[in-house]
Amino acid sequence: MSGQLDRALVDLAARLAVDAGRMVRRGRAARGITDASSKSSATDVVTEFDRASEQLVLRGILAARPSDGVVGEEGTGIVGTTGVDWVVDPIDGTTNFLYGLPGYAVSIAATVDGLPRVGAVYVPATDELFTAIAGSGAHLDGVRIHCSDASDLAAALVATGFSYHSTRRADQAERLAAL
């Protein structure tokens, strides 16, 4: 049963991530961003598209699985009764989205009984869909992907992001410099 549930959950997450990602891409292209405000700091931004994306995903989850729990970055907090809980970042990389940069995505994951089981990340700018099921690997547009075999750190590609809070960013920069 776990395999069937995982497949159903990842398929739902993938469909909703693509739908939401295409909606925000089209909306921004058609009318631009008219509503952007700060959350926890001046650089932690939310737009009307973050909220619209979260609502699209929420409606889709509740239509398919009305008794599941949902936590969304923009404020959704629904306690479920099935043991399945969804975690939604409606625009992962809102700052990039705000500035018209391609590095943003719609990210949706599901946990079962508190354990991460599936995830889907859709990148609207490149029309790429990443999916994963715990214990079954990850896929890009249906093709299995894997980490590099590089064992020499000097040949490795390292990427990072930084906190919205300046004191935490300073600590992260120190750690990165040590790396």
Side-chain angles (χ1 to χ4, degrees), residues 2 29 38 47 61 70 95 101 122-123 129 151 156-157 161 170:
S2 177
S38 297
T47 71
I61 290 170
V70 184
T95 301
L101 300 173
Y122 177 68
V123 184
L129 175 64
S151 59
L157 175 63

Side-chain angles (χ1 to χ4, degrees), residues 102-123:
Y104 69 93
V106 175
S107 301
I108 304 171
T111 65
V112 178
D113 297 326
L115 299 174
R117 292 301 310 160
V118 306
V121 175
Y122 177 68
V123 184

Side-chain angles (χ1 to χ4, degrees), residues 1-13 65 68 82-86 110-113 117-118 133:
M1 182 65 174
S2 177
Q4 287 179 324
L5 177 60
D6 287 345
R7 175 55 36 203
L9 296 176
V10 80
D11 288 348
L12 178 59
R65 301 187 52 85
D68 289 356
T82 63
V84 175
D85 292 299
W86 296 87
T111 65
V112 178
D113 297 326
R117 292 301 310 160
V118 306
I133 297 175

